Amino acid sequence: MTRYAAGLTWGEGPRWHDGALWASDPQRGGIWTDRSGAWTFTALTSRSNGLWFLPDGRLVGAVTTERRVGAWNGTEFAPYADLSAVATGPLGDMVGDAHGGLYVDDVGYTAHLGEEPKPGRIVHVGADGQARIAAEGVQFPNGLAFIDDGRVLVVAETWEQRLMAYTVRPDGTLTDPRLYADLRKAAGPEARPDGICATADGTGVWACTLTGHSVVRVTPDGVDHILDFAPGSPVACTTDGRSRLFVTVANSGGRPVMQAVADKTVTSSVEVIDL
């Protein structure tokens, strides 16, 4: 494990594309990339969370509180798709399919405003930019990842400490929700899945456990590999599609990580692991 980059406050939605790493920093209010060769921050007025690259190479971001998806134009996320008619909470992670469709998780409620917890949903955005609900009743959806050649979408339910799997239908809806992994049992009582990504071969997922201080590899047969990041808190991850895993890791200075977020004392880095 080696340090790839530093300077982040809270790294979300990391994506590797065309030889460069990209990541959102919603706590600081901007986006990071080393596309130019240097790890560079661009401040944004509209804060992104999940990121994805469309088949045509465009970068899109889930603009968290504005409940929309934006297309990166080099300085900001310009309008791409409006989710305000179907989303009720802040937007989180986002993944896309080979046809230009996107899946975005809607947490369902705004915790820091004191709203009572309620189920969220997964929103599908078609290649035409139209948004509709793909799955309802998801308990605090967080990380998203496609496996099995895009036929299955895995969803992290953070507070339930589990990964759920959905079958992807041709019309973009999600059916047959089923347990993919119980991380409380498989990775320890503090394992709460945050960001996830598909393994390079697409047969399983890597899951950041945040307060569990680990990243675990999960296949249909269970957890078969655990990477220890203690005392750091792994937030989100991505691969380069071959042999490297990138993980954004929060450092809370020994305090509970969410308390450090609230106090604005958390710092983050990107670590890279050769698989």
Side-chain angles (χ1 to χ4, degrees), residues 16-49:
W16 181 263
H17 180 75
D18 198 21
L21 185 68
W22 298 73
S24 290
D25 193 337
Q27 294 294 324
R28 185 170 175 180
I31 190 170
W32 293 87
T33 182
D34 57 357
R35 183 182 181 185
S36 65
W39 188 238
T40 304
F41 177 77
T42 300
L44 301 173
T45 55
S46 299
R47 302 186 180 199
S48 62
N49 193 321

Side-chain angles (χ1 to χ4, degrees), residues 4-272:
Y4 184 84
L8 301 88
T9 300
W10 187 267
E12 291 279 10
R15 301 297 177 205
W16 181 263
H17 180 75
D18 198 21
L21 185 68
W22 298 73
S24 290
D25 193 337
Q27 294 294 324
R28 185 170 175 180
I31 190 170
W32 293 87
T33 182
D34 57 357
R35 183 182 181 185
S36 65
W39 188 238
T40 304
F41 177 77
T42 300
L44 301 173
T45 55
S46 299
R47 302 186 180 199
S48 62
N49 193 321
L51 302 176
W52 193 257
F53 283 89
L54 295 171
D56 63 10
R58 284 182 295 167
L59 173 67
V60 289
V63 182
T64 308
T65 58
E66 296 178 17
R67 298 172 187 167
R68 66 179 179 89
V69 173
W72 182 246
N73 63 12
T75 58
E76 63 180 356
F77 283 105
Y80 178 81
D82 182 4
L83 279 62
S84 61
V86 293
T88 62
L91 305 181
D93 201 12
M94 178 170 62
V95 293
D97 60 30
H99 309 291
L102 298 168
Y103 290 82
V104 188
D105 62 44
D106 163 23
V107 172
Y109 68 100
T110 307
H112 73 271
L113 295 181
E115 293 183 5
E116 289 295 318
K118 58 184 177 181
R121 60 199 49 78
I122 307 299
V123 178
H124 176 253
V125 179
D128 59 359
Q130 296 300 306
R132 62 172 178 162
I133 296 172
E136 288 268 30
V138 189
Q139 303 299 322
F140 202 93
N142 211 322
L144 304 171
F146 280 114
I147 61 171
D148 195 16
D149 293 324
R151 291 187 290 267
V152 174
L153 181 68
V154 179
V155 180
E157 290 187 329
T158 300
W159 303 130
E160 298 297 319
Q161 297 182 260
R162 67 190 181 191
L163 303 178
M164 297 293 290
Y166 292 79
T167 299
V168 182
R169 294 177 57 87
D171 65 358
T173 55
L174 302 173
T175 62
D176 189 25
R178 58 214 181 261
L179 182 67
Y180 187 74
D182 182 337
L183 292 188
R184 179 195 294 268
K185 292 181 179 179
E190 298 302 318
R192 295 175 176 84
D194 195 333
I196 67 175
C197 70
T199 56
D201 62 5
T203 61
V205 300
W206 290 100
C208 297
T209 68
L210 193 63
T211 49
H213 305 290
S214 65
V215 177
V216 299
R217 186 173 64 190
V218 189
T219 72
D221 295 324
V223 171
D224 66 1
H225 201 67
I226 298 178
L227 301 172
D228 183 15
F229 283 81
S233 298
V235 177
C237 56
T238 193
T239 74
D240 65 356
R242 297 187 298 276
S243 60
R244 293 189 296 173
L245 176 69
F246 299 89
V247 183
T248 62
V249 182
N251 176 16
S252 59
R255 305 172 64 213
V257 65
M258 298 316 295
Q259 184 63 53
V261 170
D263 294 345
K264 302 185 184 303
T265 58
V266 68
T267 61
S268 297
S269 62
V270 180
E271 308 297 328
V272 61

